Amino acid sequence: MTAATSRGFVSLVGAGPGDPELLTIRAARRLEEADLVLYDALVPAEVVATARRAQRFRVGKRAGRKAVTQETIHRLLIRGARQGKRVVRLKGGDPFVLGRGGEEALALRAAGVPFEVVPGVTSVVAAPQAASIPLTHRGLASGFVVVSGHAEDSFRPVVETLAPNALTVVVLMGLGARARIAAALLEAGWRRDTPAAVVLAASRPEMQQWVGRLDDLGDAPLDDGEAPGTIVVGDVVSLGALAAGSPAAACPDDGRVGASLARGGMK
């Protein structure tokens, strides 16, 4: 049995960061073939519309709003497949990066429903790259860590284990908690002038970007609305700021960013 030819199959598909041209070829093919699509709230309408022949239902979750439960999504996926449908669970970014794709895969496996995972371009890398920010750079950061910002008990234990300013920190789902995230990093010993950035609607025409200091992150003036946002904290942010022409100190000879980064604004 293959996803391309069989009925009664579920594809957990990554929609990428938002630009329809960043869908993988396999993701686009699965959407074209689908009978039923269950899609996340942050997946743009242009991406959903590529599933021209399918029934399409929004099942995404947004903070503070009534939403379809995860258990209900599992039941819909299983029922659709057992009815012989080609089902696509369309998720923003990559299905297995802070997207509960693993939970859905386990539920499908337990129910005996055949499925596949179609990776997507995650915002973890797509958002910084859209803002010309490398996640690693020789002399500044040799690695990065990804945390969920929706709850303090999710990000604080991770932050507390990091050596200050040793890595790049990428935060998904953390716009509303940006002040608490900044406070957690500062309390863990990160420099107050550590460069920080917020990228909204990465890869989309309406993309916006704020660049500033860690101690200004909590007060960053963001007109986020419904747009997905990614927070990036670390010395590598200065490289993106320089590329974009934002005010930032030049890197001294020792490879470290300058002591100050002017408070930025939306670009």
Side-chain angles (χ1 to χ4, degrees):
M1 176 178 288
T2 67
T5 60
S6 301
R7 312 274 305 171
F9 194 93
V10 175
S11 298
L12 304 177
V13 175
D19 185 345
E21 293 188 351
L22 292 179
L23 284 170
T24 66
I25 294 173
R26 179 174 293 180
R29 185 180 299 127
R30 294 296 181 261
L31 287 168
E32 291 170 358
E33 299 168 344
D35 301 306
L36 171 65
V37 176
L38 306 178
Y39 63 95
D40 276 352
L42 294 178
V43 177
E46 301 95 312
V47 174
V48 178
T50 62
R52 297 177 180 86
R53 58 182 297 274
Q55 290 181 297
R56 295 169 287 187
F57 299 98
R58 175 171 163 166
V59 297
K61 306 172 184 66
R62 297 305 302 271
R65 302 182 188 179
K66 185 176 181 180
V68 178
T69 66
Q70 190 62 42
E71 291 72 22
T72 299
I73 293 173
H74 294 170
R75 288 197 296 270
L76 292 172
L77 292 172
I78 293 166
R79 184 174 67 186
R82 287 177 174 170
Q83 290 173 345
K85 296 178 180 179
R86 287 172 289 190
V87 182
V88 168
R89 174 69 174 105
L90 187 61
K91 308 175 77 66
D94 181 271
F96 279 9
V97 179
L98 301 180
R100 294 196 172 184
E103 295 177 34
E104 292 165 359
L106 290 172
L108 293 167
R109 181 179 299 167
V113 172
F115 69 93
E116 67 173 349
V117 180
V118 180
V121 179
T122 173
S123 294
V124 171
V125 296
Q129 288 176 9
S132 300
I133 299 170
L135 291 179
T136 61
H137 187 84
R138 187 170 58 179
L140 295 182
S142 60
F144 62 93
V145 62
V146 183
V147 296
S148 168
H150 77 280
E152 190 161 355
D153 58 2
S154 297
F155 61 78
R156 186 172 284 275
V158 177
V159 166
E160 290 174 346
T161 66
L162 302 177
N165 294 89
L167 300 173
T168 304
V169 176
V170 182
V171 186
L172 302 184
M173 302 179 292
L175 293 186
R178 58 186 180 273
R180 296 194 299 276
I181 292 166
L185 287 166
L186 292 170
E187 290 168 14
W190 287 60
R191 300 192 321 270
R192 300 184 66 82
D193 66 350
T194 300
V198 179
V199 184
L200 302 176
S203 81
R204 302 284 295 156
E206 63 272 24
M207 182 181 124
Q208 299 180 70
Q209 154 185 6
W210 174 90
V211 179
R213 295 165 43 125
L214 178 58
D215 57 2
D216 287 331
L217 176 60
D219 296 321
L222 303 180
D223 181 19
D224 51 305
E226 293 291 305
T230 303
I231 299 171
V232 187
V233 179
D235 290 333
V236 293
V237 172
S238 66
L239 302 178
L242 289 168
S246 298
C251 293
D253 292 341
D254 65 359
R256 301 291 292 175
V257 297
S260 64
L261 180 66
R263 178 169 179 155
M266 300 305 295
K267 305 294 182 187

